[in-house]
Amino acid sequence: MPKIGMEPMRRRELIDAAIRTIGQRGSLDVTVAQIAQEAGVSPALAHHYFGGKEQLLLATMRHLLRELGQDLSAALRRASTPRERVYAIIAVNFSPSQFAPQTVAAWLTFYVHAQQSTETRRLLRVYARRLHSNLMDALTRLCDRDKAAFITEGAGALIDGLYIRHALWPHAPDTARAIELVEDYITVKLG
């Protein structure tokens, strides 16, 4: 029986283990037992907390989205100009917690899984809408709405594309270079 008060900590350990396990394997072809072993808990405890693999994967994805949202809210509070807001959005998408090799692999695996899972697809759409909305809000303060929409689409494609590119490279993602590429695109498009 689980110890009282341990559930939030164990759930987080399992979510972190899911990110590591998916990242190491580069696919969702993992079992709850493998994730539990990575977390140092029993498979029964993992099933107790999450019910099954799909629920654990969705909880992992929600965790990544929540982390991204919290980091973004904090970064936007510190930004005082529209341009700083744009750059904060970019920086958060390439933050160490989101752009780590295993997290990048987990995100890409979720994109593939979204082709089969309605709930995963819904969560990815939430992410895409938030990114679009945040960029549009900042960019419409710098240019007209049509131009902002065009730049937002390109910046979103660059962010997603850099995740794909870095997932394929054998070395750790270059956060500074990724941020520089997207910022440069936006700067050029703003004129």
Side-chain angles (χ1 to χ4, degrees):
M1 176 157 217
K3 294 179 185 175
I4 294 176
M6 293 294 290
E7 182 174 350
M9 186 170 62
R10 291 289 186 239
R11 289 176 70 86
R12 176 63 192 261
E13 288 170 355
L14 284 160
I15 287 169
D16 290 343
I19 293 168
R20 287 191 307 273
T21 306
I22 293 165
Q24 291 161 1
R25 297 185 191 277
S27 80
L28 292 179
D29 190 22
V30 297
T31 65
V32 172
Q34 290 166 330
I35 293 169
Q37 181 180 8
E38 177 71 25
V41 300
S42 73
L45 191 62
H47 281 286
H48 171 75
Y49 288 143
F50 293 101
K53 179 179 166 181
E54 183 71 14
Q55 291 79 18
L56 175 54
L57 295 176
L58 291 171
T60 300
M61 197 170 169
R62 284 187 193 99
H63 166 77
L64 289 172
L65 286 167
R66 191 170 31 260
E67 219 176 44
L68 182 67
Q70 290 167 348
D71 291 350
L72 182 58
S73 292
L76 290 174
R77 280 192 300 276
R78 292 188 300 270
S80 57
T81 68
R83 199 169 287 263
E84 285 178 4
R85 291 178 70 79
V86 170
Y87 293 156
I89 295 163
I90 296 164
V92 166
N93 275 277
F94 296 111
S95 68
S97 65
Q98 294 292 326
F99 208 49
Q102 292 175 341
T103 308
V104 168
W107 270 115
L108 291 180
T109 304
F110 290 135
Y111 269 91
V112 172
H113 187 58
Q115 303 305 307
Q116 303 159 353
S117 165
T118 303
E119 184 62 14
T120 302
R121 188 176 320 113
R122 186 189 71 75
L123 289 172
L124 284 172
R125 285 182 178 152
V126 167
Y127 156 74
R129 282 194 303 268
R130 283 183 189 164
L131 177 61
H132 183 271
S133 174
N134 285 316
L135 283 170
M136 281 294 291
D137 178 64
L139 287 166
T140 54
R141 299 169 195 218
L142 297 168
C143 61
D144 67 67
R145 189 158 191 76
D146 289 339
K147 188 172 186 176
F150 184 79
I151 295 170
T152 294
E153 185 177 345
L158 270 170
I159 291 168
D160 289 345
L162 287 164
Y163 267 75
I164 293 167
R165 178 167 285 177
H166 284 289
L168 301 174
W169 289 356
H171 52 281
D174 185 345
T175 302
R177 182 76 172 151
I179 291 170
E180 181 184 359
L181 285 166
V182 181
E183 285 180 355
D184 183 63
Y185 166 79
I186 290 172
T187 300
V188 168
K189 290 300 180 186
L190 284 172

